[in-house]
Amino acid sequence: MLKEWPLVAFTILGQTAVGLFTFSATIFCLLPLTPDDPMREWLWTWQPVVLGLLIVAALLSFFHLRHPFRARRVLANFRTSRLSREIFFMLAFMFLVAGEMLLVAMNATVGVLRSVQVAGCLAGGLFLYSMIGLYMLVTLPFWSQAGTPISFIGSSLALGAVALTVFGGRFIWIPAAVLFVFLDLVGSVLFTPGYGLLSRRPAASLRPTAIAPSFFHLLGLGLESVGLFLLIIIALSVSREWEGPVPLMAICVALILAGQVIRRFLFYGLIQRPGDWTIQS
Amino acid sequence: MVTQYGFFFNAATCSGCKACQVACKDRNDLEPGVLWRRVYEVAGGGWEKKGEVWVPSVVAYNISMACNHCEKPVCGLACPVKAISKREDGIVFVDTGACIGCRYCEWACPYTALRFDARTNTVSKCNFCYDAIDAGGTPSCVASCPQRALDFGDMAELRKKYGDVRRIFPLPDPAQTEPALIIKPHRDAARAEERAAEVANWEEV
Amino acid sequence: MKPPAFKKKIETAAMSRRGFLRWSALVGSAAASSKGLAAGFRRRDPRHAQVEQAPTEERMVRAGCPSHNCGGRCLLKVFVRDGRIVRIETDDRPGDTIADPQLRACIRGRAYRKRQYHPDRLQHPMKRVGKRGEGRFERIGWDEALDRIAAEFKRIKARYGNQAFYVPYGTGSYNQINGRQTAQRLMNLFGGSLGFYNSYSWAAISAATPTVYGTSVTGNQRQDWLNAKYILMWSWNPAEMRDGTNSEYFVQKAREKGARVVCIDPRMTLSAVSLADEWIPIRPGTDAAMMSAMAYVMVREDLYDAAFVGAHCVGFDETQMPPGAEGAESYKDYLLGARDGVPKTPEWAEAVCGVPRETIVRIAREYATAKPGVLYQGYGMQRRAYGEQAVRAGCVLAAITGNVGIPGGWASGIALQAPDGGPFWLVFPTGDNPVRALIPSFLWTEAVLRGKDMGEADGVRGAAKLDTDIKCIWAVACNALVNQHGNVNRTARILADEEKVEFLLVQDNFLTPTARFADILLPVCTQFETWGLEDGWKYGDEVILMPKVVEPPFETKSDYRIASEIAARLGLEKEYTEGRTERDWVAWSLDRYRQTRFPGLPTLDEMERSNAGVYSLPVTRPAVAFADFRRDPEKHPLRTPSGKIEIFSKTLHDMDRPAEIPAVPKYIQEWESPFGPEAAKYPLSAIGHHYLSRVHSTLEGVDWLEEAFPQRLFINPVDAGPRKIKNGDTVKVWNDRGAVVVKCRLTPRIMPGVVALPQGAWWTPDKNGLDRRGSVNVLSSERWTPLAFGNAQHTIMVQVEKAEAA
């Protein structure tokens, strides 16, 4: 299960990027920002981060391939392969984020920037949608249940909101992060495939049932809950004029990230590959 | 003119001897750990003490399975580089020269037909011994079975000869991929689910 | 010094271009239908076609599968390219009829390339350095090896006489001109050697069957099974251990035709799953109890064939006791408990064998009324403490139900094939052994320890007593010295004593546990690398050619070649070879077959030209054993003292050992059983069943076979649960004789109270003497059966507990 770490990293990084971009685009499109609003500075630091996350994710998934240099044809099966589509929309998303950074450097107007951001959100949303679709194959009953999209969307929003708080800017990010992490946790407790209270166990199949001891799921939930708790403490204790990150934030982020990573590993562990259960002489 | 080649498997008389598994490995030079055909042992039920005697309610049978060359091959639909394609006669083929090793098809296939080969760093699977078929011959597994429990041919012919059953526990719903497979169920297959049967030899498949 | 590793060549798959070029580019429809989705990728991109490999010259030779003691004699198609075997297929002759079916190889024949080119194959002659049994060797040349062997042979002959030589039972190579008979022929020319009788496979059943029928030829040709209405497979598992190629296929066909098939076995075997309508688990070693109870039911309910019994049997009841034993206990007396006060009721049997009484009653009724029915006795139930009793009891059941001498019936017992005893027709001439003395094959350790004191009471035949201990052992294709003999730790101690066995010569393909004890170890080539010839395995009607397909590698030689070179050193080359090479002997053997059994058999040249590989006689009218006797018992008496079927055997009666060798078949509690005091410490019965990963101990280490059938202790969750053992755990299995550590497999397919450890795994002791591979003979006993002096190797009680992984 641990050998799936490139996929876990890809998923976490990709979801964080989508969440962070969506929030930043929403803020930029909805808030009336005056030209000298310090918010602008904050906004412009997030886009390189989004792009950076996506580049790292792309490189990880590229080099985890056994034959990366045959991958030039990886978009060839867009019509039927959800993996082709996921990569396409990821590339489109990256392109739009990079394009937006270029436009900022060229001092494009707010109208143009907002259009690009909307397009980027769309691309990011489709990226997330096709990422979810990847796992929702009818032949994978363990993954094709409600818990998968709930978990992926929940993670995106939670990680995106938490990423906002790392950069600071407005106090409102903190309760927003509290909200989305809380929702993600509730969704997880109820719907996580294999471990959620309302999740479906699939029927017997030609794959062994690979549910790890529930200790690990509870550990993931627990760490994230502690992170959430600390976030609430911070929310209650910093002033409304807070603009910069608080050192305690680092611990929150670490805990929440750890919880997300553990639970993502458990997710991947549910569907084993033949080599995982076969003895290798 | 064959439109869809398929396998017939007689689960009622398969002993689990695995001659078919190794015949395939020999023909295709497969290393240990790469199983294009494998034989699942399904076992379930238990034992009850009645007085001084233990009485079994055990069910057991075997399923020999390679690739079902599905009419709706989810592996090919899923492969991002189109390394998997389907011949006119139905045989589904993996072009290992195009495979990038993403292993998505291994997840997609509900029959776990796709197998990663560490020697080539690609995925591979049963190719229906297409070169033997093209020369008028027989797939190795079919020719090997000491119990004559395997057959092959055009699905239309197989259906006429052997019926329509494409699923026994714990195989998936055939509507998912439309496998080119006809099975004669073992008499224990009907009771397998109620006896909590499951694959008993995971490490061998 | 470890012998250098055999270089492994990676075989690459040669992909032909033909299939690719025939694929046309199709544009799929854009419909949302599944067909449309599928059609969407029918186009193939030719840029990714496999690099074509120019096909080199490949030839195909039909050859018999290298004949180990596997239970089959099958036909292979061996593909050779550049002097190397690259692929193996099997018999694909058209027809595949019941009369003349294809001889399809099992998984072991199909995996043979991996044995043929195994990196651990012995390559050069070696001599021992260090103490015997340490397994340390030094490479030497053939000349030095042969000189030393000849010198030792001469020395031992001069000092102890020929009776001190022993060529032990070994079936690692088992065809006309390869195997131990090549050594025995030389020994016989050299003055002889201590002989043996019976085998590790069939000791009890071979001794017991003639006590009932006066012969071992009690089996019909197998096509006759299709005439049976009922087939009781008692401890018989042909789908897994292979009892003649196609036996399981014939049972399948019989069932298709309407026969009801029942398996009685402690395990739900591969045969039970694939052939039986019902599996009846039975406690190991208690078969005679259930058989007795079945006979009781037949007597009580008047279901037995009284007319047949009256005309064809003796000893069934007091009206037909043989002269001189009129007052002795008849079978009916035994069943009703007239003498011992214990009626052999189903209730009584249930407590012993673990089969519910209603089931015993039902099976008795089914078998008695089937008419005709087959009660096939397998070999696991007789390879035990009082195996002779189970055999006799089964034969008696067949007799009293009248299933003898009729189509669809089966007389049971060892059941060699009618009319003439069937395959294993050994034509290669070993000559006469000037040493007349014979020991039971299983008692060779006694002959090493105290040969001088062995006499009739130890099963010695041909002489009143032995003159000497065994001082020299020449083990050819034999791992039965160490790995396959009971109580491995004891055997190892005996062989390690260089004062006892002074010279141990071993020739083999691999460094087996037996080979580790060699003083001189000679590398033998495989069957594909020399000539051979075989017929069926117990059943069948064919001759199969084993041509030399590839050259022997390094310095390996055939068994025959080795013996002829030793013969040369002893001045006996001409007498030994008679001027013939291996190929000449095959031609000679074909002539013998043609003269005795197969008049239409082609010559060797013709067989090579045709590349047919096999010559078979279709069986359209299967021979039925005892048909004449049944028709007219007076005119065609059996070769028993009474001329009839001896339910009561006066011969056994006169031995006057009623507790262990009763005159009528009886259930006798085993000396190591769940019912004795030993069960307090060792509560689980252990059996060492035959497993498809090996042929006995041959093919150990072939990775394709180990991945298909890994070495595991099979244990029921009922027994594993209280021991906190989970599936896949490493467990320790032990008793007073030794301990093994092996991984386990939980399965419901075995009776609670019984564990199974597949036999043949190579004894692999660690530095503490703990076997790490799971050799069942670490646990089995050297004690032998009372009548046959046979191996009781499944009579084992053990304890199991969870162990630390290695």
Side-chain angles (χ1 to χ4, degrees):
Chain A
M1 187 172 72
L2 288 176
K3 63 175 165 54
E4 302 285 11
W5 72 266
L7 287 181
V8 170
F10 177 87
T11 312
I12 299 281
L13 292 169
Q15 286 166 354
T16 310
V18 169
L20 182 57
F21 187 86
T22 307
F23 282 125
S24 77
T26 309
I27 294 161
F28 189 71
C29 291
L30 294 182
L31 292 184
L33 296 171
T34 57
D36 56 348
D37 193 316
M39 255 311 291
R40 284 176 173 260
E41 292 304 315
W42 290 118
L43 285 174
W44 305 147
T45 60
W46 294 341
Q47 314 312 30
V49 169
V50 168
L51 191 61
L53 289 172
L54 289 173
I55 288 172
V56 172
L59 287 174
L60 270 174
S61 77
F62 181 76
F63 284 109
H64 120 271
L65 292 176
R66 296 314 195 282
H67 293 274
F69 298 101
R70 291 180 185 172
R72 60 189 181 280
R73 295 193 63 230
V74 82
L75 301 179
N77 206 6
F78 183 85
R79 240 177 51 80
T80 62
S81 169
R82 299 177 185 195
L83 183 53
S84 271
R85 291 178 203 155
E86 187 211 37
I87 296 167
F88 173 81
F89 287 119
M90 182 189 74
L91 292 173
F93 183 38
M94 282 171 73
F95 176 73
L96 286 164
V97 174
E100 193 206 353
M101 286 170 58
L102 197 63
L103 290 170
V104 167
M106 285 162 47
N107 283 316
T109 64
V110 168
V112 167
L113 290 174
R114 280 181 175 165
S115 318
V116 174
Q117 291 197 329
V118 167
C121 280
L122 214 58
L126 286 168
F127 170 44
L128 187 62
Y129 174 78
S130 41
M131 193 196 294
I132 293 167
L134 202 60
Y135 302 102
M136 302 285 284
L137 295 175
V138 69
T139 54
L140 289 168
F142 222 160
W143 279 342
S144 59
Q145 48 180 307
T148 298
I150 288 172
S151 159
F152 277 50
I153 295 171
S155 284
S156 282
L157 296 174
L159 288 168
V162 167
L164 285 185
T165 66
V166 169
F167 299 102
R170 284 277 197 275
F171 168 77
I172 192 74
W173 307 159
I174 304 177
V178 167
L179 173 67
F180 286 114
V181 170
F182 176 73
L183 286 176
D184 181 50
L185 280 171
V186 169
S188 199
V189 165
L190 292 176
F191 296 110
T192 301
Y195 306 93
L197 299 173
L198 300 179
S199 73
R200 227 183 344 102
R201 284 279 176 99
S205 71
L206 293 181
R207 264 179 241 274
T209 312
I211 299 187
S214 54
F215 163 77
F216 293 101
H217 186 235
L218 294 172
L219 177 68
L221 289 174
L223 290 173
E224 200 164 337
S225 303
V226 173
L228 174 65
F229 177 71
L230 290 177
L231 207 54
I232 294 172
I233 304 277
I234 294 172
L236 294 173
S237 55
V238 301
S239 79
R240 295 294 178 275
E241 275 69 46
W242 169 84
E243 280 189 0
V246 170
L248 189 59
M249 214 74 91
I251 299 173
C252 292
V253 170
L255 287 170
I256 292 168
L257 199 58
Q260 289 279 328
V261 166
I262 287 172
R263 288 186 292 113
R264 193 55 59 205
F265 267 113
L266 291 176
F267 176 82
Y268 278 102
L270 291 174
I271 302 288
Q272 296 195 315
R273 291 202 174 89
D276 297 334
W277 64 75
T278 320
I279 49 170
Q280 311 278 331
S281 293
Chain B
M1 175 66 192
V2 176
T3 50
Q4 175 64 56
Y5 269 117
F7 284 114
F8 164 70
F9 169 63
N10 188 345
T13 195
C14 169
S15 67
C17 78
K18 304 197 183 189
C20 54
Q21 172 176 313
V22 172
C24 171
K25 294 196 71 126
D26 180 74
R27 184 192 177 81
N28 296 292
D29 287 307
L30 303 177
E31 285 301 296
V34 181
L35 296 170
W36 284 8
R37 181 172 280 272
R38 57 245 161 252
V39 181
Y40 299 85
E41 177 199 341
V42 181
W47 293 74
E48 208 190 311
K49 198 108 191 263
K50 291 209 173 117
E52 286 305 303
V53 199
W54 283 101
V55 176
S57 58
V58 178
V59 293
Y61 53 91
N62 304 286
I63 303 177
S64 168
M65 172 140 307
C67 165
N68 295 317
H69 299 276
C70 302
E71 295 178 63
K72 193 167 72 174
V74 287
C75 54
L77 297 175
C79 176
V81 294
K82 281 197 181 163
I84 301 179
S85 42
K86 192 171 171 73
R87 274 186 6 168
E88 282 175 41
D89 59 6
I91 295 176
V92 175
F93 184 77
V94 175
D95 180 355
T96 54
C99 173
I100 59 174
C102 75
R103 303 180 69 171
Y104 185 39
C105 54
E106 276 188 274
W107 278 342
C109 176
Y111 300 100
T112 72
L114 282 311
R115 297 279 158 151
F116 185 72
D117 187 342
R119 209 178 22 153
T120 58
N121 267 331
T122 60
V123 172
S124 61
K125 69 170 186 66
C126 156
N127 58 24
F128 217 85
C129 289
Y130 68 91
D131 48 347
I133 301 284
D134 292 344
T138 306
S140 263
C141 51
V142 172
S144 73
C145 179
Q147 286 285 57
R148 284 73 166 168
L150 285 168
D151 197 1
F152 82 105
D154 194 352
M155 276 299 277
E157 294 300 314
L158 293 180
R159 280 204 174 87
K160 264 193 276 194
K161 255 167 103 176
Y162 300 114
D164 234 316
V165 177
R166 290 184 298 163
R167 175 190 201 181
I168 55 173
F169 178 90
L171 297 186
D173 184 351
Q176 286 178 8
T177 65
E178 304 293 344
L181 172 72
I182 304 288
I183 302 176
K184 179 168 175 202
H186 190 277
R187 69 183 148 81
D188 280 353
R191 292 174 293 173
E193 221 165 335
E194 97 203 22
R195 301 273 170 99
E198 69 151 11
V199 172
N201 61 342
W202 286 119
E203 60 173 341
E204 299 167 15
V205 295
Chain C
M1 184 193 84
K2 233 172 81 81
F6 199 96
K7 287 193 196 44
K8 223 195 305 205
K9 269 207 236 166
I10 307 270
E11 318 269 13
T12 49
M15 305 270 276
S16 124
R17 186 52 102 84
R18 279 177 298 141
F20 285 75
L21 295 176
R22 284 185 53 180
W23 297 20
S24 53
L26 283 183
V27 179
S29 67
S33 70
S34 60
K35 270 267 173 349
L37 287 168
F41 67 91
R42 279 177 192 261
R43 188 186 358 240
R44 250 219 83 254
D45 189 328
R47 285 178 295 166
H48 294 292
Q50 287 291 312
V51 173
E52 180 174 327
Q53 288 184 323
T56 56
E57 183 89 14
E58 193 177 87
R59 69 187 169 95
M60 183 276 287
V61 180
R62 285 199 179 78
C65 190
S67 48
H68 303 297
N69 196 1
C70 56
R73 285 292 179 261
C74 310
L75 187 65
L76 300 180
K77 287 167 67 172
V78 182
F79 293 82
V80 184
R81 200 190 311 143
D82 298 332
R84 198 176 161 86
I85 298 172
V86 292
R87 195 163 83 251
I88 291 177
E89 291 176 9
T90 192
D91 191 1
D92 56 4
R93 285 174 292 160
D96 197 22
T97 58
I98 300 289
D100 194 12
Q102 288 170 352
L103 301 169
R104 294 189 180 183
C106 69
I107 185 180
R108 299 163 298 185
R110 303 310 295 252
Y112 212 86
R113 263 205 297 142
K114 288 286 191 143
R115 178 174 199 267
Q116 172 71 16
Y117 296 111
H118 199 287
D120 294 345
R121 275 189 60 186
L122 296 176
Q123 301 171 0
H124 306 284
M126 298 204 279
K127 79 168 182 213
R128 167 168 63 87
V129 296
K131 311 239 302 262
R132 187 187 287 157
E134 282 179 6
R136 285 170 42 221
F137 293 92
E138 191 177 273
R139 174 180 166 176
I140 56 176
W142 270 106
D143 282 332
E144 183 186 337
L146 294 166
D147 287 341
R148 166 99 185 270
I149 292 165
E152 282 295 308
F153 279 10
K154 287 183 190 151
R155 180 186 72 79
I156 287 170
K157 179 183 166 106
R159 172 130 185 234
Y160 298 104
N162 279 85
Q163 214 186 75
F165 292 99
Y166 190 61
V167 181
Y169 173 87
T171 59
S173 204
Y174 204 17
N175 62 75
Q176 290 305 329
I177 62 165
N178 295 281
R180 65 165 300 286
Q181 67 273 20
T182 56
Q184 190 64 57
R185 177 180 165 84
L186 175 56
M187 275 295 143
N188 290 349
L189 289 168
F190 186 57
S193 65
L194 179 64
F196 65 81
Y197 63 92
N198 75 21
S199 68
Y200 283 58
S201 301
W202 293 341
I205 198 168
S206 306
T209 305
T211 67
V212 180
Y213 288 114
T215 174
S216 294
V217 185
T218 66
N220 311 339
Q221 283 182 306
R222 295 168 298 168
Q223 282 82 352
D224 183 58
W225 294 338
L226 275 79
N227 297 321
K229 296 220 181 65
Y230 191 74
I231 300 180
L232 196 47
M233 301 173 70
W234 204 304
S235 171
W236 190 39
N237 186 12
E240 189 166 14
M241 48 73 67
R242 289 219 130 189
D243 196 17
T245 307
N246 285 318
S247 286
E248 63 273 26
Y249 180 56
F250 287 129
V251 175
Q252 185 202 139
K253 286 296 174 191
R255 189 173 176 217
E256 221 171 84
K257 226 179 139 196
R260 177 169 156 76
V261 180
V262 176
C263 275
I264 300 181
D265 200 299
R267 299 166 54 227
M268 188 192 227
T269 59
L270 271 55
S271 302
V273 167
S274 63
L275 298 171
D277 297 301
E278 183 180 356
W279 167 52
I280 297 171
I282 188 167
R283 193 168 276 135
T286 62
D287 307 277
M290 179 167 169
M291 290 171 177
S292 304
M294 284 170 67
Y296 176 93
V297 170
M298 292 177 194
V299 166
R300 269 278 181 257
E301 300 187 5
D302 218 15
L303 294 172
Y304 67 99
D305 190 337
F308 181 83
V309 171
H312 296 83
C313 304
V314 297
F316 177 71
D317 59 23
E318 72 275 5
T319 65
Q320 49 165 236
M321 299 303 282
E326 288 86 350
E329 183 185 25
S330 71
Y331 195 47
K332 205 163 156 198
D333 287 337
Y334 171 70
L335 295 177
L336 299 178
R339 307 284 173 111
D340 61 16
V342 180
K344 308 304 176 291
T345 60
E347 287 76 18
W348 162 85
E350 178 188 280
V352 174
C353 65
V355 179
R357 62 195 72 175
E358 312 80 41
T359 308
I360 297 176
V361 170
R362 178 168 55 80
I363 298 298
R365 290 175 184 158
E366 283 177 11
Y367 176 56
T369 55
K371 296 198 181 323
V374 169
L375 194 171
Y376 195 105
Q377 295 182 290
Y379 317 118
M381 53 148 227
Q382 57 88 47
R383 205 173 290 118
R384 309 188 60 96
Y386 298 106
E388 297 101 348
Q389 298 312 310
V391 174
R392 296 196 79 242
C395 294
V396 165
L397 275 180
I400 67 176
T401 54
N403 277 309
V404 176
I406 48 167
W410 191 261
S412 302
I414 178 68
L416 298 186
Q417 178 183 273
D420 60 358
F424 297 139
W425 296 289
L426 185 66
V427 300
F428 180 78
T430 49
D432 286 325
N433 191 343
V435 172
R436 314 313 281 158
L438 305 165
I439 55 168
S441 65
F442 190 65
L443 266 68
W444 66 270
T445 54
E446 307 308 299
V448 167
L449 287 175
R450 55 179 184 90
K452 293 194 287 295
D453 303 324
M454 283 176 79
E456 205 185 303
D458 301 298
V460 171
R461 286 188 194 165
K465 51 181 287 304
L466 297 186
D467 302 327
T468 169
D469 300 344
I470 291 176
K471 299 313 256 179
C472 172
I473 297 180
W474 183 5
V476 178
C478 168
N479 201 3
L481 279 189
V482 175
N483 208 67
Q484 301 300 90
H485 192 78
N487 200 341
V488 162
N489 288 315
R490 171 183 178 267
T491 313
R493 285 192 299 273
I494 291 171
L495 282 180
D497 184 351
E498 295 167 44
E499 309 281 303
K500 286 283 170 195
V501 175
E502 293 181 9
F503 184 59
L504 180 45
L505 169 62
V506 178
Q507 58 195 67
D508 206 308
N509 303 134
F510 289 92
L511 186 62
T512 64
T514 295
R516 289 196 173 271
F517 285 78
D519 296 325
I520 297 280
L521 178 57
L522 301 176
V524 182
C525 61
T526 66
Q527 190 55 59
F528 286 133
E529 296 156 356
T530 181
W531 285 88
L533 187 66
E534 60 188 3
D535 43 63
W537 197 99
K538 192 180 186 205
Y539 297 112
D541 236 301
E542 60 268 341
V543 175
I544 308 175
L545 184 66
M546 306 165 88
K548 179 174 169 180
V549 174
V550 288
E551 291 299 320
F554 299 94
E555 291 191 280
T556 59
K557 295 181 197 227
S558 71
D559 289 328
Y560 174 79
R561 176 70 46 90
I562 292 171
S564 58
E565 292 186 6
I566 297 174
R569 295 298 204 282
L570 298 173
L572 294 166
E573 188 182 12
K574 239 178 42 202
E575 294 90 326
Y576 183 80
T577 64
E578 297 184 14
R580 294 192 187 97
T581 63
E582 288 96 327
R583 188 181 183 283
D584 295 330
W585 276 111
V586 168
W588 184 93
S589 301
L590 283 169
D591 291 341
R592 294 290 298 138
Y593 274 122
R594 200 176 309 110
Q595 287 153 21
T596 54
R597 188 133 181 49
F598 297 94
L601 186 61
T603 62
L604 178 55
D605 289 335
E606 285 166 353
M607 284 193 87
E608 272 195 289
R609 262 200 305 275
S610 70
N611 196 17
V614 61
Y615 175 82
S616 59
L617 294 179
V619 176
T620 45
R621 291 186 45 208
V624 172
F626 305 122
D628 287 341
F629 166 72
R630 190 194 179 96
R631 250 183 325 102
D632 194 340
E634 307 305 321
K635 204 145 152 253
H636 302 278
L638 297 181
R639 287 208 303 262
T640 55
S642 59
K644 299 195 177 172
I645 297 172
E646 306 219 323
I647 298 175
F648 175 99
S649 165
K650 179 124 186 334
T651 314
L652 299 183
H653 178 76
D654 292 343
M655 286 181 188
D656 197 25
R657 289 176 58 190
E660 291 196 303
I661 308 180
V664 295
K666 292 190 181 182
Y667 163 70
I668 304 173
Q669 182 178 306
E670 299 192 324
W671 58 68
E672 201 174 311
S673 80
F675 308 110
E678 60 276 7
K681 219 167 145 201
Y682 304 120
L684 299 171
S685 299
I687 53 176
H689 64 280
H690 289 38
Y691 204 42
L692 279 169
S693 68
R694 288 176 292 269
V695 174
H696 296 294
S697 65
T698 311
L699 290 144
E700 174 87 318
V702 171
D703 50 19
W704 285 346
L705 296 175
E706 181 71 17
E707 88 175 315
F709 294 105
Q711 181 70 4
R712 298 285 179 264
L713 178 83
F714 291 87
I715 182 169
N716 192 309
V718 166
D719 296 316
R723 293 171 169 82
K724 306 276 190 287
I725 293 171
K726 296 211 179 37
N727 192 33
D729 280 351
T730 303
V731 296
K732 180 172 158 201
V733 189
W734 82 98
N735 58 24
D736 287 341
R737 291 181 288 269
V740 311
V741 171
V742 67
K743 277 202 177 150
C744 78
R745 172 83 58 86
L746 264 57
T747 176
R749 285 171 64 171
I750 190 168
M751 214 178 164
V754 183
V755 294
L757 186 58
Q759 63 98 6
W762 286 11
W763 180 51
T764 311
D766 64 15
K767 56 175 161 40
N768 299 317
L770 196 57
D771 173 44
R772 290 269 162 195
R773 178 74 184 131
S775 168
V776 72
N777 282 314
V778 170
L779 308 164
S780 65
S781 162
E782 73 278 14
R783 188 166 164 181
W784 56 87
T785 70
L787 174 64
F789 298 93
N791 48 336
Q793 273 175 285
H794 293 305
T795 296
I796 309 170
M797 297 301 293
V798 299
Q799 178 60 286
V800 175
E801 72 179 8
K802 197 159 133 87
E804 293 306 309

